[in-house]
Amino acid sequence: MSGKTHRVQVGEITCLVLHEGSMAGRGLLQDAFPTAPADEIDAVCQNFGQGDKRPESHMNALFIESGGIRILVDTGMGEVAGPNFGFIPAALQSEGISAGDIDIVFITHFHGDHFNGLLNEDGAPRYPNSRPITTQVEWDHWTDEAVLQAMNAEHAAGLRMVVNAFKDRFSFLNPGDTLAPGVTLVDMSGHSPGHTGLLIESNGEHLLDVVDLLHILPQFTYPHWHFVFDSDGSLAERSRKRMLARAADENLLTLFYHLPFPGLGHITRTDGGAFAFQPV
Ligand SMILES: [Zn+2]
């Protein structure tokens, strides 16, 4: 399953979904979504094939080439996550793109499954010619010493390695700013303080990358479910409902980092403020 890609041409912009990896679930569904009512958890287990109540784990990063600029959006876990993950470099290579060809690495948020792959196993930058970019809000939060002291030790160690390796090299953009021609940052905060997606548009065609706006398919039916790793579950829920509604109303092809590969599809509104997903 290594090295899988899925090509999407958005007008003049070339996009490749890059399969970082997939793994059978380990934790219980209720533990991953602690605010979900038990009857809804049971309904999901009966209706969505989550028989053992353990959600699968998938990761889909994105490569964008626009105006001659080659962008990698998130870097995955890297090899440290074991044999099921770390396939982004192989996916790029299968398209003839080497790590040295990447001009910009954009980090949507500083959770390990999105930034750990910035460094290779030796602790050196994996994309040596790239400029790392994130949002100011996200950087300021995760480099705050008080935050680092209070958080999970493994996550904090990964952050400290990245901060040390890239201290003066990161640059910062804000929602509404342009990353490359036709590629605009979109605020989707809540999962983390500066969690940011991208709207890619060219010649009237669109791709919306919503990254971690939701984590499993049942959250289309139950968009009020908060994920255990949301930094602000209520804000994440408002962002989720707002962006899913926009994607539905504007019929935008949408990419989800954590849905089964390639994590692409269209969204429709259903009864009671819920949504449905039609994968490509
Ligand atoms: Zn994630």
Side-chain angles (χ1 to χ4, degrees):
M1 70 176 184
S2 64
K4 278 195 295 190
T5 65
H6 182 102
R7 181 174 294 263
V8 181
Q9 192 66 34
V10 183
E12 296 180 0
I13 302 175
T14 297
C15 297
L16 296 169
V17 179
L18 309 170
H19 189 231
E20 159 72 351
S22 295
M23 193 170 75
R26 287 184 295 193
L28 292 174
L29 194 58
Q30 183 75 76
D31 293 340
F33 299 93
T35 67
D39 62 325
E40 294 178 358
I41 293 280
D42 288 345
V44 164
C45 294
Q46 287 169 17
N47 298 334
F48 290 86
Q50 304 268 7
D52 61 357
K53 305 188 179 189
R54 292 168 194 272
E56 297 171 342
S57 173
H58 306 273
M59 296 183 199
N60 308 301
L62 180 64
F63 168 86
I64 305 167
E65 182 162 7
S66 176
I69 303 170
R70 293 175 148 196
I71 304 164
L72 177 62
V73 183
D74 289 339
T75 63
M77 295 287 281
E79 302 87 341
V80 294
N84 293 304
F85 296 99
F87 297 119
I88 288 173
L92 286 168
Q93 201 64 59
S94 76
E95 298 282 348
I97 303 161
S98 71
D101 295 333
I102 301 296
D103 299 307
I104 292 172
V105 175
F106 180 71
I107 300 296
T108 63
H109 65 297
F110 279 94
H111 287 167
D113 52 328
H114 297 261
F115 79 86
N116 275 346
L118 271 168
L119 301 175
N120 64 26
E121 287 171 297
D122 304 326
R126 184 184 305 278
Y127 304 97
N129 302 319
S130 69
R131 189 157 62 99
I133 298 178
T134 190
T135 62
Q136 190 75 56
V137 169
E138 191 68 6
W139 181 262
D140 288 350
H141 175 78
W142 295 107
T143 56
D144 181 336
E145 189 56 35
V147 171
L148 287 163
Q149 295 277 355
M151 69 198 296
N152 167 287
E154 190 183 343
H155 188 183
L159 280 165
R160 287 185 197 281
M161 280 181 69
V162 162
V163 169
N164 289 335
F166 294 99
K167 201 175 298 176
D168 302 316
R169 291 182 53 197
F170 258 93
S171 53
F172 307 105
L173 294 173
N174 297 303
D177 288 346
T178 299
L179 188 59
V183 183
T184 306
L185 277 66
V186 182
D187 169 40
M188 301 183 194
S189 53
H191 177 56
S192 75
H195 179 255
T196 300
L198 296 172
L199 180 63
I200 299 149
E201 46 187 338
S202 172
N203 295 347
E205 297 182 327
H206 299 84
L207 173 64
L208 181 67
D209 181 4
V210 299
V211 202
D212 283 20
L213 190 72
L214 57 68
H215 288 78
I216 57 171
L217 290 166
Q219 279 183 292
F220 289 105
T221 307
Y222 305 111
H224 53 277
W225 284 16
H226 296 179
F227 185 52
V228 66
F229 295 124
D230 289 341
S231 66
D232 181 337
S234 297
L235 178 59
E237 178 184 338
R238 291 199 297 279
S239 291
R240 181 161 47 252
K241 290 175 175 174
R242 180 181 73 248
M243 293 311 306
L244 292 179
R246 179 177 175 188
D249 295 344
E250 299 180 21
N251 193 32
L252 301 174
L253 179 63
T254 304
L255 172 63
F256 296 84
Y257 191 85
H258 287 296
L259 294 187
F261 180 81
L264 283 166
H266 287 91
I267 294 150
T268 53
R269 291 175 182 264
T270 60
D271 294 339
F275 300 90
F277 182 60
Q278 279 79 45
V280 296

